[in-house]
Amino acid sequence: MLLAYIGISVLWIFLFCYIIIASIDFGAGFFTLHAKITKQDKKINHLISRYLNPVWEVTNVFFVFFFVGMVGFFPDTAMYFGTVLLLPASIALILLSIRGAFYAFENYGPDTKLIWLAMYGIAGLLIPASLATTLTISEGGYITGTENNLDLNWTELLLSPYSWSVVFLAIISVLYISSGFLTYYAAKAKDKPAYNLLRYWFLFWGPPMIAISLFVFLSLRLQNEAHFINAVSNYWWLFLLSFICFVGAMILTLMKKAHGYAFVLVILQMGFAFFGYGASKLPYLLYPFIRIDEHVVNSSMAIALIIVFILGLLLLIPSLILLLRLFVFDKKYVEGKK
């Protein structure tokens, strides 16, 4: 039982790291497209390119660790999720391939075609939307059939207010997180035109993100009342801390001060909400089919996986920090001098 909780905690950390890093990447792609269409690309595209060039290749490493770890710790997830998520996962893989192809054309091609830029920017929003389907289905009510013949009730999924609210939350969160980081990055680069535009986007996407988060919370009551009651009764303080961090980030940005601390508050805001959601969901991974205490792998394998994944965290996070310090946050690199 304890090993199951330790295992899911480590995996949840990997997933959270992926959400933050990938959101910056995905949102930056959309902002690049938006700036190109609105003829503002000269203001921000050089700044976004300086961030993406060293970082984009390592973004998906955290997600691969999470996916492999989930199947390793809880083998039954492969059967349930692998069956019902075949279409959404395939769509996500195609969209990731499109983004990878764009990077190849961007780095090795003579110029960037608008059609490729459009596919790149839109894919960055559709990937989190398609992946968010996993969290929606995990609340129960969408899977039909028996254990040997599982099927996804697409009609129920497409008509569900909870399903669509999660999709919109995923998209808006990407734009909110990305604009928050890029605002800090523009301030550090002392790039005033880019800073003014990105700061406006961050302030613009903040209120819609809180509004859609509240709607997700309320619609969860209709989809999975037990999860909703557990979240409200036992983990309300995590969601309150998340909202306080949101207010702090907005105030600092409005005052045009301490953008680094503002983005730390954004990370804490998302972290409190994300771990509050995850903790209140337990012991179910897929309601009502998979419980972490009943479907975890044997103890010896669980211990081995925990050790490997903790070592993976200890390797990946310092490596990412080193990469950021050597390139992304290097003073001359940030200011475009090298």
Side-chain angles (χ1 to χ4, degrees):
M1 181 68 170
L2 178 60
L3 292 175
Y5 278 97
I6 294 174
I8 194 62
S9 297
V10 173
L11 293 180
W12 213 240
I13 292 172
F14 270 104
L15 184 58
F16 178 68
C17 291
Y18 173 73
I19 287 173
I20 297 298
I21 299 169
S23 291
I24 298 172
D25 187 349
F26 294 154
F30 177 80
F31 291 139
T32 300
L33 172 63
H34 182 274
K36 182 75 171 179
I37 294 174
T38 57
K39 310 296 183 183
Q40 296 176 309
D41 48 312
K42 292 183 179 179
K43 290 184 180 180
I44 66 166
N45 284 8
H46 59 285
L47 183 85
I48 291 175
S49 179
R50 284 203 298 272
Y51 167 75
L52 290 178
N53 283 340
V55 174
W56 72 272
E57 295 182 63
V58 301
T59 300
N60 294 319
V61 175
F62 287 94
F63 183 70
V64 171
F65 264 88
F66 170 78
F67 178 78
V68 172
M70 182 63 73
V71 175
F73 277 107
F74 310 102
D76 286 350
T77 57
M79 178 182 68
Y80 282 95
F81 285 115
T83 301
V84 301
L85 289 176
L86 181 61
L87 181 59
S90 299
I91 293 172
L93 285 175
I94 292 171
L95 294 172
L96 284 168
S97 299
I98 290 173
R99 288 176 62 82
F102 170 82
Y103 284 121
F105 280 95
E106 174 71 12
N107 288 328
Y108 303 113
D111 57 1
T112 300
K113 302 295 185 182
L114 182 60
I115 183 63
W116 273 105
L117 189 59
M119 293 172 68
Y120 167 72
I122 295 172
L125 298 185
L126 295 181
I127 290 171
S130 59
L131 294 177
T133 307
T134 307
L135 296 179
T136 303
I137 294 172
S138 70
E139 294 298 337
Y142 302 106
I143 297 179
T144 59
T146 62
E147 183 174 318
N148 296 322
N149 187 26
L150 298 171
D151 195 14
L152 184 61
N153 188 336
W154 282 99
T155 303
E156 183 70 24
L157 182 66
L158 293 174
L159 295 179
S160 168
Y162 177 72
S163 174
W164 284 106
S165 64
V166 170
V167 167
F168 284 116
L169 176 61
I171 293 173
I172 294 173
S173 295
V174 161
L175 298 174
Y176 172 75
I177 295 170
S178 182
S179 59
F181 174 81
L182 292 173
T183 299
Y184 161 60
Y185 198 54
K188 191 174 181 64
K190 299 177 182 178
D191 190 333
K192 193 169 183 179
Y195 167 77
N196 290 333
L197 184 58
L198 292 164
R199 176 177 171 271
Y200 166 78
W201 280 338
F202 179 62
L203 294 173
F204 176 83
W205 287 112
M209 197 215 56
I210 290 298
I212 194 65
S213 297
L214 180 60
F215 187 78
V216 167
F217 210 68
L218 295 176
S219 59
L220 177 61
R221 185 173 185 176
L222 301 176
Q223 190 63 38
N224 190 334
E225 188 174 3
H227 184 186
F228 174 82
I229 292 174
N230 190 28
V232 172
S233 302
N234 301 317
Y235 298 97
W236 59 268
W237 56 277
L238 283 172
F239 298 104
L240 177 61
L241 287 173
S242 176
F243 181 72
I244 291 172
C245 290
F246 165 77
V247 173
M250 288 288 107
I251 290 174
L252 288 176
T253 305
L254 283 169
M255 296 173 63
K256 299 184 179 181
K257 292 182 179 180
H259 292 291
Y261 289 112
F263 185 67
V264 170
L265 288 175
V266 169
I267 295 176
L268 291 175
Q269 171 198 341
M270 304 306 294
F272 285 131
F274 187 68
F275 283 92
Y277 166 83
S280 61
K281 185 180 178 65
L282 296 177
Y284 289 101
L285 289 178
L286 174 59
Y287 187 88
F289 301 102
I290 302 177
R291 293 171 57 103
I292 64 170
D293 52 349
E294 296 177 358
H295 296 85
V296 68
V297 74
N298 62 73
S299 298
S300 57
M301 178 62 78
I303 292 172
L305 286 171
I306 289 171
I307 293 172
V308 168
F309 277 83
I310 289 177
L311 290 175
L313 273 178
L314 295 177
L315 174 65
L316 279 175
I317 292 179
S319 298
L320 181 62
I321 293 172
L322 181 62
L323 176 68
L324 293 174
R325 292 192 65 177
L326 288 176
F327 295 99
V328 179
F329 293 135
D330 179 76
K331 189 175 187 300
K332 291 184 178 179
Y333 183 82
V334 170
E335 295 177 1
K337 295 178 182 178
K338 74 173 185 179

